[in-house]
Amino acid sequence: MKLAYFVAAALLLPAVAGCGSHRVSIDSTLRRTYVDRNGSGVLVTGPGEGLVDRTALAPRSRPTRTFAVFAQLTDAHVVDEESPARVEWLDRLGAPFTSAFRPQESLTTQVLAAAVVAIDKLHPDAVVETGDLIDNDQENELQQALAVLHGGRVDPGSGGPGYQGVQGASDPDPFYYRPDVDPPRHPDLLAAAERPFVSPGLHARWYPVLGNHDVLVQGNIARSAATEAIAVGSRKLIQFDQAAVSAARAGDLDAVRRLLASGIPGLTTRVTPDRRRRQLAAAEVIRRLRSVSGLGGAGAFLDYTFDLGPHVRAIVLDTIRRTRGAGGIVRPSQVVWLRRELQRAGNRWLLVFSHSPLTTAVGGEGALALLDRDPHILAAIHGDTHRNAIESRRTSAGGYWLIGTSSLIDYPQQARAFRIAETADGRVVLQTWMLNTDPSIRLARISRQLAFLDFQGGRPQGFAGSRADRNANLYR
């Protein structure tokens, strides 16, 4: 994190209404990317990346008529970085405890807002938010994230006046990046991050997908009286005791729950309490997502369908556990529901959205078996992995594409655009390309640079994927 740093001035070019068959703006990676030219850790603008032809399922053919244009944003992890329910200290235990702390974590609302601005310039027919909109199942996190998406005043602060957390200039722990004193220095960054701002909101209709961090504490355990007492309380854990460390290393969530019932298991410091940090039941999170997005409906699971014009139908699956565990699950009742919805779709092209990849979810094989037999499946699109990845899945019915998209919390902090078009040979192509967050929002630019420097983040883990995982023509 002690790297020399300088941010090149961003050139804000006029938005381009169209580029061939695409709606493209300055924020599109078809126009420009960000690169570290000399290995110094400093990102500067680089050339754009064209679309790579992916012909594993069908031959290349010229796009003709557009069926739909839509965007995906995922894993924003809007976080209350001052919350006593945070466990930044876990990072020093090493794998599998990684990214409990990120140097850019105070800037999540601004990054989400910059993604909203970039998507609005695309003028999509719809936007799909594929889960982990928030980080720690807190009411104030959800309120902030929904304000960004809906539009209006956003207040990122919590607790008392000023910043209280591990990134403060007076914190002596060298493990944490302190923007006021550590390079790359950004004096008053934490104060700027807490200032209220106005988000333009998404101009297109948006559709939510549930993520594990949306309804589980730290994305792993259900809220309880003990976890909520910590979240709204005045004591913040700064180091686990040995029993808690042993339970965490063993992955024993029941033991962690028992330890929490007896109080905070370790060394603490005082913080300003805030009732807005209360943790939410899954039913309340789903109700608020349905309400603010305009989706409506009811039910314990966030399973539903929507149409992208007359030729394309989207199916949304809720793959999130309600008690504990970050891994996805597809329940037998959902497989029955999915079979019925596939039949009801008729001859429309089909997209399936979930937070967890269906290929790794418990029970996912039942859903995949249905998709494998349907000749109208175009793609199964997910978040969760924080990684750009596109794979073909060939089946007896023709096959479809498995698409994972990188997060807004980790580098490269991008959203994904899609265009579905008929081709000259009567087939279809799914064109996809990445969208950079809008360069007009200064704090989002700083966040991208800090995310790039994060020693356990998206750069060393290769979350950006290959060029063919980012910008591609997916023929079907």
Side-chain angles (χ1 to χ4, degrees):
M1 205 49 57
K2 316 295 189 191
L3 296 175
Y5 160 63
F6 125 101
V7 176
L11 300 176
L12 185 59
L13 303 178
V16 178
C19 178
S21 57
H22 315 294
R23 306 176 194 180
V24 183
S25 76
I26 179 65
D27 312 307
S28 168
T29 56
L30 295 172
R31 289 285 305 276
R32 74 172 184 181
T33 57
Y34 292 93
V35 297
D36 178 9
R37 285 207 177 100
N38 56 15
S40 67
V42 177
L43 290 175
V44 296
T45 55
E49 294 181 336
L51 299 175
V52 176
D53 285 330
R54 303 280 301 266
T55 57
L57 301 180
R60 182 182 183 277
S61 184
R62 177 175 55 86
T64 55
R65 180 174 49 144
T66 296
F67 288 157
V69 174
F70 64 98
Q72 176 197 11
L73 57 84
T74 194
D75 295 86
H77 287 269
V78 168
V79 62
D80 177 3
E81 77 282 3
E82 300 177 274
S83 172
R86 300 294 312 291
V87 286
E88 303 96 337
W89 185 82
L90 277 177
D91 271 2
R92 66 186 66 238
L93 297 181
F97 305 106
T98 58
S99 296
F101 168 76
R102 296 175 171 93
Q104 70 276 13
E105 65 183 22
S106 66
L107 306 171
T108 52
T109 53
Q110 293 85 0
V111 171
L112 180 58
V116 164
V117 173
I119 289 171
D120 283 345
K121 291 179 179 180
L122 180 71
H123 304 295
D125 302 312
V127 180
V128 186
E129 182 276 307
T130 50
D132 282 0
L133 179 62
I134 61 176
D135 189 67
N136 205 19
D137 187 34
Q138 289 186 191
E139 180 182 32
N140 62 329
E141 293 177 344
L142 186 60
Q143 182 177 2
Q144 292 167 24
L146 292 178
V148 173
L149 297 182
H150 181 70
R153 187 178 188 271
V154 183
D155 185 357
S158 71
Y163 173 84
Q164 288 184 310
V166 298
Q167 291 188 271
S170 61
D171 192 306
D173 192 333
F175 186 85
Y176 304 114
Y177 167 67
R178 303 164 301 172
D180 281 312
V181 295
D182 296 330
R185 289 190 64 232
H186 291 286
D188 299 321
L189 178 66
L190 299 174
E194 293 200 336
R195 291 191 191 108
F197 64 91
V198 175
S199 168
L202 287 168
H203 297 164
R205 177 76 181 270
W206 67 277
Y207 296 90
V209 180
L210 200 66
N212 54 300
H213 281 263
D214 298 326
V215 296
L216 296 174
V217 178
Q218 295 294 324
N220 275 282
I221 60 173
R223 63 189 272 272
S224 65
T227 62
E228 181 149 334
I230 294 172
V232 301
S234 61
R235 305 302 302 183
K236 177 178 174 62
L237 179 73
I238 57 176
Q239 183 175 333
F240 273 154
D241 63 23
Q242 190 53 51
V245 170
S246 298
R249 284 195 182 281
D252 190 343
L253 297 180
D254 288 331
V256 171
R257 196 185 295 271
R258 289 193 297 271
L259 288 166
L260 289 174
S262 302
I264 302 178
L267 183 64
T268 65
T269 188
R270 177 169 177 78
V271 296
T272 303
D274 191 335
R275 292 297 304 176
R276 297 175 300 171
R277 291 171 173 152
R278 75 180 182 94
Q279 294 165 342
L280 301 175
E284 184 171 359
V285 174
I286 291 175
R287 179 185 62 78
R288 294 180 68 173
L289 289 172
R290 288 184 181 275
S291 175
V292 176
S293 68
L295 177 64
F301 299 115
L302 198 58
D303 297 327
Y304 62 96
T305 66
F306 66 94
D307 288 337
L308 286 163
H311 301 287
V312 182
R313 174 160 292 181
I315 299 176
V316 173
L317 276 174
D318 179 342
T319 59
I320 303 308
R321 301 171 188 268
R322 298 300 195 263
T323 55
R324 63 179 183 177
I329 183 170
V330 180
R331 304 156 185 89
S333 61
Q334 292 178 291
V335 176
V336 173
W337 175 83
L338 177 60
R339 179 183 294 109
R340 182 172 66 249
E341 293 304 324
L342 292 174
Q343 292 170 349
R344 291 178 59 187
N347 292 324
R348 295 178 182 90
W349 288 106
L350 291 165
L351 302 168
V352 179
F353 292 95
S354 61
H355 179 64
S356 319
L358 296 179
T359 52
T360 59
V362 172
E365 64 277 3
L368 289 168
L370 293 177
L371 303 188
D372 289 351
R373 295 195 294 268
D374 195 309
H376 301 102
I377 304 297
L378 184 53
I381 302 169
H382 65 85
D384 189 38
T385 61
H386 295 210
R387 182 184 301 275
N388 289 322
I390 299 176
E391 298 178 7
S392 61
R393 183 177 175 93
R394 183 173 288 280
T395 70
S396 59
Y400 50 94
W401 297 95
L402 303 172
I403 302 175
T405 298
S406 57
S407 70
L408 288 178
I409 184 65
D410 289 317
Y411 184 79
Q413 297 192 328
Q414 294 170 331
R416 189 185 281 277
F418 294 88
R419 177 199 181 215
I420 304 173
E422 190 175 40
T423 55
D425 62 359
R427 296 175 182 268
V428 71
V429 61
L430 178 61
Q431 299 176 314
T432 182
W433 63 99
M434 306 309 297
L435 298 174
N436 298 311
T437 54
D438 192 86
S440 67
I441 298 180
R442 182 181 71 91
L443 296 186
R445 298 200 311 267
I446 293 174
S447 179
R448 176 169 45 236
Q449 178 66 67
L450 294 177
F452 183 72
L453 296 176
D454 184 2
F455 74 94
Q456 56 184 358
R459 174 185 51 80
Q461 296 193 67
F463 284 167
S466 70
R467 179 176 167 183
D469 294 317
R470 298 189 290 268
N471 296 0
N473 288 315
L474 307 176
Y475 295 98
R476 169 66 172 83

